[in-house]
Each structure stands twice: as C-alpha cells, then as structure tokens.
Amino acid sequence: MTNIWIICRKELKGYFASPIAYGLMAFFALIFGYFFYAAVAIFVLRSTDPMMMQRGMPMDVNEWVVRPVMMNVSVIGLFIIPMITMRLFAEEKKTGTIELLATSPVEDIEIIVGKWLAAVLLYGSILLLSSVNLAVLFLYGSPEWKPIFVAYLGLLLQGACLLAIGTFISNCTKNQIIAGAGTFAICLLLWVLSWVSAYETSTMGKVIAYLSVTDHFENFSKGVIDTRDVVYYASLTFFGLFLTSRSMESLRWRA
Amino acid sequence: MIKVEGLTKRYARNVAVNNISFEVEKGQIVGFLGPNGAGKTTTMRVLTCFLPPTDGRAEVAGFDVIEKPMEVKRRIGYLPETPPVYPEMEVVEYVEFVGRLKGVPKNELTRRVDEVCDRCNVGDVKTRLIGKLSKGYRQRVGLASAIIHNPDVLILDEPTAGLDPEQRKETLGLIKELAGEHTIILSTHILPEVEQTCEKVIIISRGKLVATDTMANLNSRLRGAELVSVEVEGRSGSLNRDSVQQRLEQIPGVSKVTYREARQDRLLFHVESMQGKTVRPDIARCIVQADWNLIELHTAGLSLEEIFLQLTSSDKPTGGAQ
Ligand SMILES: Nc1ncnc2c1ncn2[C@@H]1O[C@H](COP(=O)(O)OP(=O)(O)O)[C@@H](O)[C@H]1O
Ligand SMILES: [Mg+2]
C-alpha cells in the first residue's frame, strides 16, 4: 500500500513539474466553459420563449443544462485521457528509469496501480476544476445536486477505465507518441461503438452497444446509478490493469 | 555473496550469456571485464532480477533471483549504465524517493539521504534539478541512491562510461572507498580501471567466461608478453611491405607481426613478443642492419582484445572458470 502511494506521489509530481497537467486543465476548462455557455444560452433562449412559457411548466436545469454538458464532457474525456497516460510507462522505458522501479523491492502491480492512481487523481482534479462552472447554476438557479454528483461519479468511473487501458498501451511501447495515438484510437473505437447501437437491434448489435464506453455513461448523466454500468466500468478497469501486469511480465521474459 | 551457476540468457535471436559460472565472496570488489556486447549488462540484469535467466541459477546473499526476487532486490544496490534519474526532480527529492522505494524507514530517511549525498560528493547540489547536472554529477547521484539502503551487494554497470579522466578517477576512488562495506561488482571494458580498483576479475567475451582470477595472478600471466609498435622507412624509395614483415617475423622471440598502416613511405607494424621476452633491442638492430630508417619504436601495451586472444588461445581458462 505504501509502495503504491510512493509511486503515485512521484507520478503526480511529474505531472505538475511539466506543463502537461496545467495544459490539460486549461484545455478542459476552456472546452467545458464553451459547452456550458452554449447550453446555458440555449436554456435561457428556450425558457424565455413565449411558446414554451405558455405550457406553464418551468424547464428543468438538470435536464437542459447539466445533462447535455456532461454528455459532451464524457466525449472530451476521450481526447484528454491519452495525453494523461501516454508517458506513464513509455517514458520510463525510454530513459531507462524503469530499471530502477523494476529492481526495487516493489511488486509490478504496485507500480502499475500507483501510476494508474496518479492518472485518475489528475483526471479527477481536472474534472473538479470544471465544477466551478456549475457553481454558477447554484447561484442563479436551484438545480438538484444529486444528479450532478452522480454524473461526476460516472465521468470518474469512465475515466478510470479508459486510463487503465491507456496505462496498458503505454506499457507496450517506448514511444510516447505511439502510446498516445494507440490509446486515442482505442478510446475512439469504444466511443464509436455506441453509434452501432443506434441502428442495429440484433443480439450482435446489443453486445457491441454493451461494449461502448459512452453508452454506459448515459444513465449517469441522468443521475441514475445502474449496477450494470458500474460493473462494466469496474471490470474494464480491472481488465486494463491486469493486461498491464501481464505485459510487464511478458516483456521481462522476452527482452 | 553472489553465486552464479551455468547462467544462460538467450534473447529472441542471439545468446547473450552462455553458461557462465562464478562466485563472489563477501566484501570483495570484483571487476567484470569484457568488450562491448560481451554480456556484462545482461548478466547484471539477471543478478538484479530485472531479467530472468533462460537457464542456470543465480543467487545473491543466499536468495535465488527467481524464487525470492524481493529478498534479492532488498539487498542489492544497482547502478545501470545510464543512471536511472528523473531530470525533473531535485537531487534530494530523487534520493529520498529511491530510499522510500527501497524501504528505508521513515525516521532514518533524512539522515541517510544526507549521509549518502555527502559520501558521494553531491552535497553541494542537493537542491538542484537533476536535469541541469553534468554527467559526472548524475553518475554520483545514481551512486548515492544505489547505496541509500545500505545494500549488501552493489552492482555497478560501467560506472565510468562517458566521464572525463578526472571524473573517472574520482568515481573509481569513491567506489574503492565503498568497498569496505559492500560486496561490489563493477563492469567495464577498460583494463587499467580494473587493475586500479579490483581484487578479482571476471573476464567474459561474447557471452562466454574467459577467466576468473585474482588481479595479481592475471597480471603475472599477462606480464612478459609485450606489444611493440614499429615504424620504418626505406632509405631510398619505398619499402616492400611483405619483405619487412618477413624480416621482423624472423627475429627470435617475436610471436606475431601485424601490418597496421602506411603513412606516406613509412610503414607501421605491431610486433607481439612471446612470454617473458624483450624484443625491442633486437628489432632496432634488425632494422639498422637492413639499412632502413627506424622512425619510431615503442611499446603499445596490449589492448583488451589482444588480452582476450592471449587468454583464450594460450591455454584453457583457469581459476573458477569450470
Ligand atoms: N534487449 C535485447 N534484445 C536482444 N538482444 C540484446 C538485448 N540486450 C542485449 N542484447 C544482445 O546481447 C548481447 C550482450 O549485450 P550486453 O549484455 O548489453 O553486453 P555488454 O553490456 O557487455 O556490452 C549483445 O550481443 C546484444 O546485442
Ligand atoms: Mg553494457
């Protein structure tokens, strides 16, 4: 346990010693701000529309602002995650510092989990930063906080599983760029799978849809925690970390 | 302290280490000598549990590298060829990090870090970023972090590679000082370094063990045979290369003559003597008698490759080789 924390702390320092962490935070804040602004603008436009007002039912902030923003954010995550994970192992392999870690009295899995945890914490803090925008909603309106919390939980779970996959891919190469591009490709694939579910209703289509990362986020964005979604994210996370440990072992035997 | 038996390491295509065996006693400082590609790094990686052996066994401090890797790792300090440092860390921060990884207790950590930094002469750059340090300093930071947990065994892979002569001397001096407390294996492809620092040598070449012996024994085996560099010139017109070579070969005590190069009309040869023979006066006499100009004549010393040739061709490996 302490070993995981030692590794994790070192990784976090590494992130914040370079411009990566700040760059990603700025990038995310910007995009989030844009989507948020757009959603709010549409909301204001609609809610002041006489046609809508005639219906006599006030529009729900959660439904009209929080949810579309969160759905978008879950897609932006796909772009940020490769940038977080690409260096995790690739860089250490390139500079040879992996030799220090691998010859220290630390289990492989502790190294892997430590690194992955650092990535999750960084991703979490990037998400947290974006919640400043949502504070505005509480100032001027009265949204429900529970669905927002659930949506963030969903984002974090989705992030955790994609970060685990990114960690695995970073372990397969010495080249950060390849690691980043590979992770991006996989993230993209897992996202695109959800398009299939739109027109495919066969069993095959259902299986493919089940694999789509963003589909499982949909419930979260509505403020609903479904065990199936949690299980999906958790098992994909374990799978990613497990693959990483296999890859570390096999590289050792081969090279 | 270290026991290697029939160790073989095969990569996908080639055999990097081929059935080598040796032992290192507690407190010894041992030179691991071999040209590039001999398999030094590979052997050290097996000893440090970085790579598993394909065949054979390796034991450190009584623990097998396959069965008890954690125990082995706890007892080893390892400095790879390029020090495994993080450029974005400060020196203290890095040494502390390594200390934590190696399981140095929290309440001793600060004291240990100060100790090893002073020991390795990096006390004055403690708060500098490692990325901004010179190669020599980085090497010493690596060394400091390798001894942070006071390991029984210290494994140093080419600790002087890439350093200038002054830094080399300093690093070797430092290693020698450490010898009292740790069992040390250091690899190098430079013979004089081993002569200066080590009590015992293990020589490998192309993955095979060539010799394991004490430094004193090895010296006496090599002494006597000398390598002489000779440069001659014709008094009128250029010389025939073959005839000069034949002439030199006929000198008593000469074992081998190799033609090296021609510089304008001058020819350069390397002459090797047999064990215990001094051939320089005879070479000089021979050249004068042949009525050529003797431009230069000096001992060149044996290169590592020539030593390997001598050791492998003259007789079977001795010492603990088999
Ligand atoms: N990761 C690797 N994959 C394949 N071959 C390797 C690898 N590392 C080293 N080798 C080969 O193994 C041999 C021994 O290398 P090495 O142990 O690095 O020698 P040294 O350290 O003595 O220079 C060389 O022929 C080298 O090309
Ligand atoms: Mg080497």
Side-chain angles (χ1 to χ4, degrees):
Chain A
M1 216 44 208
T2 28
N3 287 336
I4 293 179
W5 183 234
I6 293 167
I7 303 270
C8 176
R9 233 174 43 179
K10 177 226 127 201
E11 281 318 310
L12 281 176
K13 269 189 196 162
Y15 278 130
F16 285 96
S18 69
I20 307 176
Y22 304 104
L24 288 179
M25 279 179 169
F27 170 74
F28 190 79
L30 213 68
I31 305 246
F32 189 97
Y34 170 74
F35 280 125
F36 182 71
Y37 170 77
V40 169
I42 292 173
F43 175 73
V44 170
L45 209 67
R46 292 267 173 90
S47 56
T48 51
D49 187 334
M51 286 280 286
M52 299 287 271
M53 283 171 87
Q54 270 171 12
R55 285 204 211 155
M57 227 175 57
M59 281 170 69
D60 185 353
V61 184
N62 284 87
E63 174 72 26
W64 282 88
V65 178
V66 177
R67 203 176 146 218
V69 169
M70 287 305 181
M71 277 314 276
N72 282 329
V73 166
S74 92
V75 174
I76 303 170
L78 305 180
F79 293 82
I80 288 190
I81 276 151
M83 290 189 251
I84 294 181
T85 56
M86 62 184 199
R87 62 186 282 280
L88 280 181
F89 280 98
E91 191 176 30
E92 304 234 24
K93 285 181 153 191
K94 181 148 205 161
T95 60
T97 46
I98 191 76
E99 231 170 320
L100 168 71
L101 301 184
T103 59
S104 293
V106 187
E107 302 284 352
D108 281 0
I109 194 70
E110 291 175 320
I111 300 173
I112 296 166
V113 173
K115 281 173 172 284
W116 167 80
L117 191 63
V120 171
L121 289 178
L122 175 64
Y123 188 66
S125 50
I126 289 174
L127 289 180
L128 206 63
L129 201 69
S130 70
S131 64
V132 176
N133 284 301
L134 297 177
V136 176
L137 292 182
F138 284 93
L139 278 182
Y140 295 100
S142 51
E144 276 186 76
W145 67 270
K146 261 192 209 146
I148 297 182
F149 179 77
V150 170
Y152 268 106
L153 182 71
L155 284 180
L156 199 63
L157 285 177
Q158 179 194 298
C161 92
L162 291 177
L163 289 167
I165 292 170
T167 308
F168 164 62
I169 295 172
S170 179
N171 197 305
C172 297
T173 172
K174 273 184 188 181
N175 187 324
Q176 283 195 54
I177 307 298
I178 292 178
T183 308
F184 183 60
I186 299 235
C187 285
L188 218 54
L189 185 74
L190 288 175
W191 175 41
V192 167
L193 286 182
S194 69
W195 298 351
V196 175
S197 60
Y199 56 82
E200 185 73 58
T201 49
S202 63
T203 324
M204 188 61 195
K206 279 187 188 139
V207 170
I208 290 176
Y210 180 77
L211 290 175
S212 159
V213 184
T214 38
D215 269 14
H216 287 274
F217 180 67
E218 197 141 2
N219 281 330
F220 283 103
S221 79
K222 292 178 196 154
V224 178
I225 302 181
D226 188 328
T227 332
R228 273 175 304 176
D229 300 327
V230 177
V231 166
Y232 168 83
Y233 284 138
S235 43
L236 203 54
T237 306
F238 277 117
F239 184 60
L241 296 179
F242 171 74
L243 279 184
T244 319
S245 81
R246 300 306 307 176
S247 139
M248 237 170 136
E249 205 157 300
S250 83
L251 282 183
R252 219 173 251 204
W253 285 94
R254 263 189 292 127
Chain B
M1 207 56 170
I2 297 172
K3 206 159 133 192
V4 172
E5 274 173 29
L7 180 73
T8 298
K9 177 70 196 177
R10 213 171 283 127
Y11 289 113
R13 254 170 261 128
N14 50 353
V15 182
V17 173
N18 193 349
N19 193 20
I20 68 173
S21 306
F22 61 85
E23 271 181 52
V24 178
E25 307 290 327
K26 189 170 183 336
Q28 263 184 341
I29 172 163
V30 174
F32 204 45
L33 188 66
N36 283 325
K40 304 183 293 292
T41 302
T42 305
T43 309
M44 290 183 152
R45 284 181 165 168
V46 171
L47 286 176
T48 52
C49 308
F50 185 69
L51 292 177
T54 313
D55 208 357
R57 287 161 41 79
E59 240 177 46
V60 175
F63 295 100
D64 189 281
V65 292
I66 294 271
E67 279 149 27
K68 293 265 190 286
M70 283 299 149
E71 298 303 320
V72 172
K73 288 175 183 181
R74 260 190 265 282
R75 288 167 179 77
I76 277 190
Y78 175 40
L79 180 61
E81 213 167 328
T82 34
V85 292
Y86 298 97
E88 76 273 7
M89 281 193 192
E90 286 175 9
V91 172
V92 207
E93 205 183 329
Y94 173 73
V95 180
E96 257 177 30
F97 167 67
V98 178
R100 284 197 198 100
L101 267 187
K102 306 276 176 181
V104 176
K106 235 187 196 140
N107 53 351
E108 288 176 26
L109 191 59
T110 322
R111 189 178 52 80
R112 277 300 295 167
V113 170
D114 288 343
E115 235 173 74
V116 295
C117 283
D118 288 342
R119 192 89 206 250
C120 298
N121 305 327
V122 291
D124 51 331
V125 293
K126 265 187 190 163
T127 53
R128 292 263 294 277
L129 287 182
I130 297 180
K132 300 246 157 79
L133 296 180
S134 69
K135 174 96 185 92
Y137 264 111
R138 252 183 251 189
Q139 197 78 30
R140 275 178 288 158
V141 170
L143 198 56
S145 62
I147 58 172
I148 182 79
H149 55 309
N150 200 10
D152 294 338
V153 176
L154 204 49
I155 295 188
L156 312 170
D157 197 358
E158 311 224 4
T160 56
L163 301 183
D164 63 40
E166 195 56 38
Q167 292 170 327
R168 255 167 214 268
K169 228 174 92 187
E170 203 181 322
T171 307
L172 287 177
L174 197 58
I175 293 169
K176 222 169 165 175
E177 274 175 35
L178 293 172
E181 298 143 60
H182 315 271
T183 307
I184 301 181
I185 299 193
L186 78 100
S187 80
T188 174
H189 56 265
I190 302 166
L191 181 66
E193 284 190 349
V194 177
E195 284 178 320
Q196 286 160 30
T197 356
C198 303
E199 299 158 3
K200 190 180 153 180
V201 251
I202 298 168
I203 302 182
I204 62 169
S205 173
R206 295 199 200 138
K208 290 222 169 109
L209 196 71
V210 176
T212 60
D213 219 334
T214 61
M215 205 57 237
N217 279 348
L218 188 77
N219 265 337
S220 69
R221 275 169 71 188
L222 291 173
R223 197 173 304 127
E226 69 176 350
L227 183 71
V228 182
S229 164
V230 190
E231 198 173 350
V232 290
E233 179 186 60
R235 192 165 274 193
S236 47
S238 56
L239 284 174
N240 181 318
R241 189 175 120 191
D242 292 333
S243 69
V244 179
Q245 179 150 0
Q246 269 175 17
R247 200 76 182 244
L248 289 173
E249 272 165 356
Q250 281 160 10
I251 298 169
V254 166
S255 66
K256 197 171 140 208
V257 178
T258 35
Y259 168 75
R260 300 303 288 236
E261 58 177 336
R263 300 173 187 159
Q264 288 140 10
D265 280 345
R266 298 166 182 182
L267 300 175
L268 185 69
F269 292 90
H270 273 185
V271 180
E272 257 176 68
S273 75
M274 288 170 195
Q275 294 268 334
K277 301 265 191 209
T278 315
V279 288
R280 271 174 298 168
D282 292 330
I283 294 173
R285 202 167 298 123
C286 158
I287 288 169
V288 171
Q289 276 168 8
D291 208 21
W292 303 324
N293 289 342
L294 178 59
I295 306 298
E296 205 176 288
L297 177 69
H298 64 89
T299 50
L302 286 173
S303 72
L304 197 53
E305 283 71 24
E306 286 154 340
I307 289 170
F308 287 130
L309 272 179
Q310 278 214 350
L311 286 173
T312 39
S313 59
S314 59
D315 50 15
K316 61 187 186 306
T318 56
Q322 292 307 315

